[in-house]
């Protein structure tokens, strides 16, 4: 039996880092759902850059500048950061302050390193976690801690992908979790960028993880 759902009114979204692997797919998913998107990036001519299409406004700007962050927050319903963790940390206080003042929602593309294994240990602390991944993974760990320390009126959500997070297919079939790493029947932890974007837009449209981290995987 199909359960009727209330249609979602079109939203105005800002995406910081709109030309990256995650950001470009979030932009595409939002536009496909009929939302209006302002995509911010330093350049819009890269391989992942979204083509011009109805509903999309492309802004070329320094995403770390206070004026850019103010532009992103003003006139939108929610701001999505698809920036690397190390790029978000220096601007978090400014971004969160603007969002709190204007009662805007913030959503962050997170990392998998802070997710927990059944043993209670973090993924980032495992012997097989590659050294070259640690700087960015550590930044996402620090970002999640900083978000959890924000005042109670800060409206944020942090979505961690599974361990393997790559371009792929949009299946629309995935599982959601909390702080624990998700694995499939073969023991693999993976999610495509396309299905990750679908999970994030689901959360934007019907908030279920306010002031919380959650994860998505197959």
């Amino acid at each position: 039996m199909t359960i009727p759902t209330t249609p979602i009114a079109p939203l105005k979204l800002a995406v910081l880092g709109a030309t990256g692997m995650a950001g470009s797919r979030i932009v595409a998913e939002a536009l496909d759902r009929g939302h209006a998107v302002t995509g911010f990036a330093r350049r819009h001519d890269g391989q992942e850059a979204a083509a011009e299409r109805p509903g999309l406004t492309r802004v070329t700007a320094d995403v770390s500048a206070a004026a850019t962050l103010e532009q992103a927050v003003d006139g939108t319903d929610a701001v999505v950061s698809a920036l690397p963790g190390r790029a978000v940390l220096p601007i978090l206080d400014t971004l969160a302050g603007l969002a709190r003042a204007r009662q805007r929602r913030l959503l962050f593309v997170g990392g998998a390193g802070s997710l927990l294994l059944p043993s209670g240990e973090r993924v980032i602390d495992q012997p097989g976690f590659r050294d070259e991944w640690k700087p960015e993974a550590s930044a996402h760990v620090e970002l999640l801690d900083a978000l959890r320390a924000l005042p109670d009126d800060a409206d944020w959500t942090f979505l961690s992908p599974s361990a393997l997070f790559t371009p792929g297919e949009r299946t629309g079939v995935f599982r959601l979790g909390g702080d624990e790493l998700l694995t499939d029947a073969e023991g693999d932890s993976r999610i495509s960028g396309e299905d990750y974007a679908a999970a994030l837009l689901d959360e934007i449209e019907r908030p279920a993880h306010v002031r919380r981290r959650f994860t998505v995987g197959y």
Side-chain angles (χ1 to χ4, degrees):
M1 181 178 67
T2 300
I3 300 175
T5 58
T6 304
I8 299 296
L11 300 171
K12 295 180 180 179
L13 307 176
V15 178
L16 305 175
T19 59
M21 193 283 285
S24 62
R25 285 156 178 81
I26 292 166
V27 169
E29 180 73 19
L31 292 172
D32 287 346
R33 296 187 185 208
H35 303 304
V37 178
T38 302
F40 293 83
R42 292 179 184 273
R43 297 175 57 185
H44 287 274
D45 57 355
Q47 183 178 357
E48 299 283 6
E52 293 188 14
R53 55 183 287 193
L56 174 63
T57 300
R58 299 191 299 184
V59 177
T60 302
D62 177 0
V63 293
S64 68
T68 303
L69 300 178
E70 188 167 1
Q71 183 182 357
V73 172
D74 283 342
T76 60
D77 297 298
V79 178
V80 178
S81 169
L83 300 169
R86 61 185 181 276
V88 180
L89 287 170
I91 65 173
L92 180 60
D93 286 347
T94 300
L95 180 59
L98 289 167
R100 290 173 59 209
R102 292 158 175 78
Q103 297 184 322
R104 300 290 190 267
R105 190 173 186 204
L106 299 176
L107 298 102
F108 296 87
V109 174
S114 60
L115 290 168
L116 303 177
L117 299 173
S119 64
E121 298 177 317
R122 299 182 306 181
V123 172
I124 192 174
D125 297 324
Q126 301 313 297
F129 198 89
R130 296 181 183 176
D131 288 342
E132 60 265 31
W133 296 344
K134 288 186 177 180
E136 180 58 20
S138 296
H140 276 299
V141 171
E142 187 176 347
L143 174 59
L144 179 57
D145 289 341
L147 291 172
R148 287 170 168 166
L150 288 175
D152 291 343
D153 63 343
D155 187 345
W156 61 268
T157 297
F158 184 100
L159 177 53
S160 287
S162 289
L164 183 61
F165 182 33
T166 59
E169 179 184 0
R170 187 193 188 286
T171 69
V173 180
F174 45 78
R175 295 180 294 141
L176 302 182
D179 290 319
E180 294 75 34
L181 183 74
L182 294 175
T183 57
D184 61 19
E186 287 72 42
D188 296 323
S189 177
R190 58 191 180 87
I191 191 68
S192 71
E194 288 76 4
D195 277 337
Y196 177 97
L200 186 69
L201 263 295
D202 287 348
E203 175 66 25
I204 291 173
E205 293 178 348
R206 293 182 172 84
H209 302 88
V210 176
R211 292 187 55 82
R212 291 169 55 196
R213 183 261 293 280
F214 74 113
T215 189
V216 58
Y218 296 126

